[in-house]
Amino acid sequence: MSTAARPEAASVRLSARTVALYAIGSLGTGGYATLPGLVLTYFLTDNLGVAALTAGLIVTGAKIWDVIIDPVIGAASDRQYARTGSRRGFMVAGGLTLPVFFALTFAVPPSWGPTAGAVCVLLAFLATATSFSLFQVPYVALPAELTSGYDERTRLLGWRVVVLTAAILLSGAGGPELRGATADPVAGYLLMGVVAGVVIGVGMLIASRTADAAAHHMAADERPTAVAPAGLREQYAAGVRTLRRSQPFRALLGTFVLQALATGTMLAGAQYVATWVLRSEDAVTLVFLALVGPALLATPGWTVVARRLGKERAFALASILFLIAAASLVLAVWTPGPWMYGSIAVAGIAYAGLQSLPMAMLPDVISHDERRTGRGQAGTFTGVWTAGETVGFALGASTVSLTLAATGYVSSVAGTTMQQPDAAITGIVLAFSILPALLMAASLLTLRRYRLRRADIDA
């Protein structure tokens, strides 16, 4: 019998230690998701002199690599879990190797020239993405195996998002501070890459211990026997089959990808908004404080709302709130100023729900599929999920890069001062406001097709 099918499992409350160990993993996921999205494109265009379009292609290329390998890692994780009862091996490998590759991504000096610099950053970031996927895919699979309780999953993922939000705040605010800690921009970026890489790796290694807790929750004879085939072609086919047979997964994944694209667009545009709209490169720290500070406080509130209204309704409310806040920022085209921090703070309140609620809904989708089909393929599900999330964030950075290129943004190297045309500044504001709002509106249409409710999970 699978853990999803055991009625008594729904009433078991996870220990505080298990919840804490799992949540600490978000030190890694938050740091990796934030810093590259926030500063990598800017590092390429305004430190190495790489053209905006090329910079966008570099970030997108690394993310496409994620999309290729995530389903393979997910299927391999399922096989490891069926064989050993734990997904820890891949998680440890990712935690040990990511700090090195992350630091190398920001170790390229401008003196190498734009072409050599672009190639070196691409290779280092590809390696970083591989290490992160080794950790992230099995990490996202664990909640479905730790508990089958509808509200208990919300509690587990709620605390994860509290740490995730703190990690985003630490990375988004602390990363630029580390970058500016030295007078030399080259040394500053390297310092940021080394410190952030170590913090991310430590968080990953601590969270890997949760995989052993998942093994204790399921006896050896309860592990799923239906795992993905070993061949590459069959592994990809297994991912396609999960999409075909699970309508709730298709609806939730479509919603999450569109929202990852919306938030990824805002994230990639934040540094440009700080520099050219708020007229201070250091203002990116205040932007992150405005966005993430309220989110840190709002996550427990979204957990309460989800218990009263259901996760899907709470998710819709968070999406609508984010849409309104993002759309209001378009006024910065005509009247930029400190008032923008208020709209960003409202978006931050919504962002807490956009992170915690879909992640709490994904284990419901996995257990619902296992109950209907008897197949234990949590890793396959999360491999497809992580690939979809990666696509969203990658296209977010690409969207900003294309907008900059289309509006005449002028790239530069470290230590030089440039003026941007008015069209480029308008493009920055639109990429930070209207584009995310439109994407969020589209995600509400896909969310309407999500049909799982509490009764379907706790039945």
Side-chain angles (χ1 to χ4, degrees):
M1 179 190 291
S2 71
T3 189
R6 288 182 294 161
E8 69 274 13
S11 62
V12 175
R13 185 173 177 84
L14 292 172
S15 68
R17 179 179 182 274
T18 298
V19 173
L21 286 176
Y22 186 76
I24 288 173
S26 287
L27 284 176
T29 58
Y32 176 82
T34 302
L35 267 184
L38 178 65
V39 302
L40 184 55
T41 303
Y42 189 80
F43 172 68
L44 288 162
T45 60
D46 286 53
N47 191 70
L48 300 183
V50 177
L53 184 59
T54 303
L57 290 175
I58 289 173
V59 176
T60 302
K63 297 301 185 181
I64 289 174
W65 174 245
D66 269 346
V67 174
I68 294 172
I69 65 173
D70 283 351
V72 176
I73 292 173
S77 177
D78 280 338
R79 291 198 303 275
Q80 182 186 64
Y81 180 66
R83 185 177 67 253
T84 67
S86 175
R87 302 181 186 271
R88 188 179 183 187
F90 285 169
M91 298 172 72
V92 170
L96 289 175
T97 56
L98 183 138
V100 176
F101 298 133
F102 193 89
L104 289 176
T105 301
F106 294 98
V108 180
S111 59
W112 289 7
T115 301
V119 171
C120 291
V121 170
L122 174 61
L123 293 176
F125 196 46
L126 283 173
T128 304
T130 302
S131 295
F132 182 71
S133 290
L134 288 173
F135 170 82
Q136 175 76 348
V137 173
Y139 178 66
V140 176
L142 292 180
E145 296 154 358
L146 286 168
T147 178
S148 60
Y150 181 88
D151 288 327
E152 194 64 7
R153 285 170 178 164
T154 306
R155 170 177 169 250
L156 175 65
L157 273 301
W159 281 109
R160 178 203 162 183
V161 172
V162 168
V163 177
L164 175 67
T165 306
I168 291 173
L169 179 61
L170 179 65
S171 301
E177 290 297 317
L178 284 172
R179 179 187 61 186
T182 68
D184 180 8
V186 177
Y189 273 109
L190 179 59
L191 175 64
M192 181 192 72
V194 170
V195 174
V198 170
V199 172
I200 292 170
V202 169
M204 289 178 168
L205 292 174
I206 292 175
S208 69
R209 300 177 63 186
T210 318
D212 296 332
H216 290 309
H217 278 78
M218 185 180 289
D221 60 353
E222 294 176 319
R223 294 175 203 151
T225 57
V227 298
L232 282 177
R233 182 176 179 180
E234 284 302 310
Q235 289 172 351
Y236 288 118
V240 173
R241 286 193 293 268
T242 62
L243 285 169
R244 286 179 175 174
R245 72 172 182 260
S246 178
Q247 188 278 332
F249 185 52
R250 292 196 302 272
L252 186 61
L253 178 63
T255 302
F256 193 67
V257 169
L258 286 168
Q259 295 194 354
L261 177 53
T263 55
T265 300
M266 289 193 77
L267 181 65
Q271 180 68 76
Y272 294 97
V273 168
T275 302
W276 300 110
V277 180
L278 295 171
R279 296 295 175 178
S280 171
E281 187 175 276
D282 295 334
V284 69
T285 301
L286 295 178
V287 170
F288 254 80
L289 287 173
L291 178 64
V292 181
L296 187 62
L297 301 175
T299 299
W302 286 115
T303 300
V304 173
V305 173
R307 287 179 178 174
R308 293 184 178 180
L309 301 181
K311 299 175 191 177
E312 70 288 342
R313 291 179 180 173
F315 191 20
L317 287 175
S319 302
I320 293 170
L321 186 62
F322 188 94
L323 188 161
I324 295 171
S328 70
L329 287 165
V330 73
L331 297 175
V333 171
W334 302 279
T335 58
W339 66 266
M340 296 171 63
Y341 294 118
S343 292
I344 294 171
V346 174
I349 294 173
Y351 182 72
L354 301 184
Q355 288 293 305
S356 62
L357 296 169
M359 294 302 298
M361 294 159 73
L362 177 61
D364 295 341
V365 170
I366 294 172
S367 62
H368 177 262
D369 177 79
E370 186 178 339
R371 184 183 298 126
R372 287 193 312 110
T373 67
R375 301 174 183 176
Q377 294 184 314
T380 301
F381 271 93
T382 57
V384 175
W385 177 271
T386 305
E389 179 183 18
T390 299
V391 167
F393 278 112
L395 292 179
S398 299
T399 299
V400 172
S401 297
L402 288 172
T403 302
L404 295 177
T407 54
Y409 186 85
V410 181
S411 298
S412 62
V413 297
T416 62
T417 302
M418 302 293 298
Q419 292 296 322
Q420 299 297 339
D422 292 341
I425 296 175
T426 298
I428 290 170
V429 174
L430 294 179
F432 195 70
S433 58
I434 290 298
L435 285 179
L438 291 174
L439 291 164
M440 196 61 61
S443 75
L444 286 168
L445 298 178
T446 57
L447 181 58
R448 291 182 62 185
R449 297 181 58 82
Y450 181 82
R451 298 171 185 144
L452 287 185
R453 302 294 184 264
R454 182 192 301 270
D456 298 312
I457 306 305
D458 285 344

